[in-house]
Amino acid sequence: MLPPIRIALVSSDAQLISQLQLRLQSRGHQATGMSYIDGVLGAFYSDPPDLLIIDLASDSNAGSTIVTALRSDSFFSTIPIIGLVSSRDYDSFPWETYPLDDFAFLPLNFSELFCRIALSFSRLRRIFDNNPLTRLPGNTSIQRAIEDAMGKPQAVCHVDINHFKPYNDAFGFSHGDEVLRMLARIMFNAVRDAGGGFCGHIGGDDFVFIVSLTQVESVCGTIIDHFDQIVLDLFDEATKRQGYYNGTNRKGEMEKIPLLSISIAAVPMNSDKIRHVAKVAEVAAELKKLAKESEGSRYLVDQRKGE
């Protein structure tokens, strides 16, 4: 059972706070009321809530001070803030000066307010989970997508870039970031064009996509084909002709580093051997190790029978 959402209510209207507390608590939320006093920010520092609902109709100046102070603090800046605004002030309200996440009109429609609370948390979860570089969903979403694929005729495919670290070291992080964004776009487009599926970014040069078993080989082939074509643009003509550049390996030794390529490990989710999510990563790691033994890009679909 999930813990209750802890909501701070800030208003100089004691009756409004009382009504809000009653309604929110009836939905299982934990609601704490505070008036417009200096102690509001102090209370946040000692016990920060999960969400703030602030009445901007009773005292807009105090409300502006509190909202601005919270948004300028890196620790509190991610707390969702819903402002309560009089419907009469809609046209004249200075929206651009209030960094709110959402708003609700006074007098309150509580059904609408509950929807806005749910949407605020949903938006926050997406923002936190998505990778800031590629915008793809991160590990929480990936975990849920893999759990949802368990037992279905789908394949979870792990992707990583061969020789990515020496490339980063030799050409710089900005070039490395562009490679990651490029692979994310190629992967997303290939999955979308194949009829849809899931794409996620584990972190670094590790990605995941999930497609139906009937499409997995086609999608893997498309991703590899497009990556191998586009990645050549990252190197000069001389490097492309010789097929390597001089760089530093993981032991700190100079050697000839091959051009970038990718390895894809596809794990069928209707296999008898996949009885737990953790097993997917284990099987994928085995396949990627095999794929990396070959030169250039390669994909492998696990065809082994259950253990």
Side-chain angles (χ1 to χ4, degrees):
M1 183 177 177
L2 294 174
I5 294 174
R6 300 163 61 255
I7 300 175
L9 310 170
V10 179
S11 174
S12 59
D13 185 337
Q15 186 176 5
L16 175 63
I17 285 183
S18 177
Q19 289 177 342
L20 276 167
Q21 280 182 307
L22 189 63
R23 294 295 190 118
L24 291 168
Q25 287 167 357
S26 72
R27 292 296 185 101
H29 302 315
Q30 188 181 91
T32 303
M34 288 176 276
S35 59
Y36 284 154
I37 55 176
D38 294 339
V40 169
L41 293 177
F44 269 58
Y45 279 104
S46 62
D47 188 19
D50 300 316
L51 180 141
L52 167 65
I53 297 177
I54 184 165
D55 175 11
L56 300 174
S58 299
D59 189 341
S60 60
N61 290 331
S64 174
T65 300
I66 293 172
V67 171
T68 303
L70 293 176
R71 283 293 187 245
S72 64
D73 188 303
S74 59
F75 185 74
F76 296 127
S77 62
T78 57
I79 294 176
I81 302 177
I82 297 176
L84 305 183
V85 181
S86 170
S87 57
R88 297 189 305 273
D89 300 331
Y90 177 79
D91 289 330
S92 60
F93 190 80
W95 297 102
E96 65 281 0
T97 62
Y98 284 86
L100 302 170
D101 293 284
D102 212 332
F103 70 95
F105 283 133
L106 292 169
L108 281 171
N109 176 324
F110 285 97
S111 295
E112 179 185 4
L113 178 64
F114 294 143
C115 292
R116 293 187 182 279
I117 291 172
L119 289 173
S120 292
F121 278 103
S122 176
R123 186 163 51 244
L124 186 67
R125 282 194 291 270
R126 288 198 305 274
I127 292 170
F128 267 96
D129 191 42
N130 284 16
N131 186 283
L133 180 66
T134 61
R135 306 292 185 187
L136 290 177
N139 288 320
T140 300
S141 298
I142 291 170
Q143 177 86 1
R144 282 201 296 265
I146 293 175
E147 289 173 354
D148 187 57
M150 293 280 290
K152 296 179 181 176
Q154 298 178 340
V156 173
C157 305
H158 283 235
V159 187
D160 78 9
I161 304 173
N162 305 325
H163 315 296
F164 182 69
K165 184 179 184 305
Y167 177 84
N168 244 346
D169 294 340
F171 295 92
F173 287 106
S174 63
H175 285 77
D177 287 350
E178 181 52 37
V179 173
L180 297 177
R181 283 193 290 264
M182 180 184 75
L183 177 56
R185 289 195 298 272
I186 290 172
M187 188 176 72
F188 180 84
N189 290 339
V191 170
R192 181 197 59 196
D193 293 346
F198 173 85
C199 291
H201 187 174
I202 297 172
D205 62 327
D206 292 308
F207 294 82
V208 165
F209 67 88
I210 302 174
V211 291
S212 69
L213 281 173
T214 57
Q215 294 287 344
V216 62
E217 296 206 41
S218 170
V219 173
C220 288
T222 299
I223 293 171
I224 285 176
D225 183 48
H226 290 181
F227 182 86
D228 285 351
Q229 288 184 48
I230 297 175
V231 81
L232 292 177
D233 294 337
L234 302 174
F235 300 97
D236 58 36
E237 290 301 321
T239 302
K240 281 191 281 189
R241 280 196 299 274
Q242 66 188 14
Y244 67 86
Y245 58 92
N246 294 316
T248 307
N249 64 22
R250 291 182 180 277
K251 297 178 182 177
E253 302 165 338
M254 291 297 291
E255 68 174 17
K256 296 175 181 177
I257 307 294
L259 304 187
L260 293 171
S261 57
I262 55 174
S263 296
I264 306 177
V267 182
M269 296 301 287
N270 57 356
S271 167
D272 291 339
K273 74 171 66 172
I274 304 299
R275 298 188 179 91
H276 190 277
V277 172
K279 187 69 175 177
V280 179
E282 180 184 324
V283 173
E286 295 169 359
L287 292 174
K288 278 197 296 184
K289 185 177 179 181
L290 289 173
K292 285 177 178 291
E293 290 176 356
S294 303
E295 289 186 8
S297 298
R298 186 185 182 192
Y299 74 87
L300 287 174
V301 181
D302 189 32
Q303 307 285 0
R304 297 169 295 179
K305 302 297 182 184
E307 296 170 351

